[in-house]
Amino acid sequence: MQSEERNIIIDGLTIHYEVSGPENPDAPNILLMHGWGCDHTTVRSIANALNHKLRVYNVDLPGHGKSSEPPAPWGVDDFTSLIEKFVNQLNITDPIPVGHSFGGRISILMASRNPIKKMVLVDAAGIKPKRSLKYYIKVYSFKTAKKILPILLGKENGEKAIQAWRGKAGSSDYRNSSPVMRAVMSRCVNEDLKNVMPSIKASTLLIWGENDTATPLSDAQTMEKLIPDAGLVSWPGCGHYSFLDNPGGFRAVIRSFLITE
């Protein structure tokens, strides 16, 4: 299926996206959103599973791919507001959010405050992770060091030491992000969306890898309980990228849910 890469300007930001599939005023449109540290190419196989029947808008989220970085440390609400403007500016009718990982956060919040009919969450984020005592010791040690090191080493050397500590302590996603996107990641990871899930009216399909360690299966089970019309499909032996680990099963399930012959 032929696709076309395009750009759109929203609030001064360049948003890159790929559009594919037939234009049909009677059919819903897929709004596909990738995970953190990825871009539209990561989830292109999901677009290709659907674009023989449906119009798919595969977006590079701000700060990813060819899209501009946010001007400040955004939260999930800021990303969601931008995506809502994207939908309105392009006159996308009956959008169906399909969100993987971080894209799932945006999908959840969007569906909680808009008349969305269907939604697909793939190994989605949205539930604040449980933290161990070791994690909190590391966090508070770092916060203490941020205050003390500039005093002990001077402002410039203290900042260098803090950045070195931050780089070693953070996840690979965190280390590979710019300073703004690091702040965005820290803010968004600590946002818990459980409170908005009961207000979601969309029929929701949850697709998960049972070996997912980034967003564990227990997150999916919580979402299934909190979202009124939700169903879970999970696969053993699959991880955080279940759509890549089991492409045949994924394609069959998502097509069955979204495409009516």
Side-chain angles (χ1 to χ4, degrees):
M1 175 62 65
Q2 187 174 6
S3 61
E4 183 179 347
E5 307 233 358
R6 300 176 182 174
N7 291 319
I8 187 173
I9 305 298
I10 302 175
D11 293 341
L13 301 181
T14 298
I15 303 301
H16 184 79
Y17 66 101
E18 183 178 68
V19 60
S20 60
E23 291 188 76
N24 183 349
D26 299 322
N29 295 280
I30 303 301
L31 184 61
L32 181 56
M33 292 173 281
H34 59 78
W36 188 270
C38 301
D39 61 24
H40 73 277
T41 63
T42 310
V43 291
R44 186 177 279 155
S45 64
I46 299 178
N48 291 339
L50 301 171
N51 60 17
H52 66 299
K53 290 285 187 180
L54 303 174
R55 188 79 161 169
V56 180
Y57 294 84
N58 188 359
V59 187
D60 277 352
L61 296 172
H64 297 80
K66 298 178 182 178
S67 291
S68 303
E69 273 195 2
W74 278 10
V76 179
D77 178 73
D78 300 298
F79 280 92
T80 306
S81 294
L82 182 133
I83 292 298
E84 289 167 345
K85 291 175 183 177
F86 177 88
V87 169
N88 291 333
Q89 202 161 315
L90 292 178
N91 294 315
I92 300 174
T93 57
D94 292 329
I96 295 178
V98 178
H100 172 246
S101 194
F102 180 70
R105 289 185 183 274
I106 301 168
S107 301
I108 290 166
L109 190 55
M110 184 178 178
S112 74
R113 63 193 198 190
N114 290 280
I116 303 294
K117 296 177 182 176
K118 286 187 176 183
M119 174 171 64
V120 181
L121 301 176
V122 184
D123 301 294
I127 293 175
K128 186 175 179 178
K130 295 178 181 178
R131 305 298 194 183
S132 65
L133 178 60
K134 182 179 178 182
Y135 169 84
Y136 286 108
I137 291 172
K138 182 170 71 173
V139 167
Y140 287 109
S141 297
F142 179 72
K143 287 184 176 180
T144 302
K146 282 179 68 176
K147 293 180 180 179
I148 294 176
L149 288 178
I151 297 172
L152 296 178
L153 303 177
K155 186 175 180 181
E156 185 175 343
N157 289 332
E159 183 59 31
K160 287 181 180 178
I162 290 166
Q163 291 300 329
W165 186 340
R166 179 183 281 122
K168 291 179 181 178
S171 66
S172 59
D173 280 343
Y174 188 87
R175 290 194 299 270
N176 294 330
S177 297
S178 70
V180 169
M181 294 306 289
R182 286 177 181 176
V184 169
M185 185 180 185
S186 295
R187 182 176 174 185
C188 290
V189 163
N190 287 302
E191 291 189 43
D192 197 334
L193 299 178
K194 290 199 296 288
N195 63 312
V196 305
M197 292 178 189
S199 63
I200 293 173
K201 295 180 173 59
S203 181
T204 302
L205 171 64
L206 305 163
I207 305 179
W208 237 262
E210 293 183 8
N211 293 352
D212 189 339
T213 56
T215 54
L217 184 62
S218 59
D219 286 4
Q221 292 164 341
T222 298
M223 292 180 189
E224 186 181 24
K225 291 177 182 177
L226 292 176
I227 298 173
D229 183 14
L232 171 62
V233 176
S234 64
W235 290 301
C238 295
H240 189 55
Y241 293 82
S242 59
F243 60 97
L244 298 177
D245 293 338
N246 185 3
F250 181 89
R251 184 168 55 249
V253 168
I254 197 169
R255 282 181 174 179
S256 176
F257 181 68
L258 293 179
I259 298 175
T260 55
E261 300 296 340

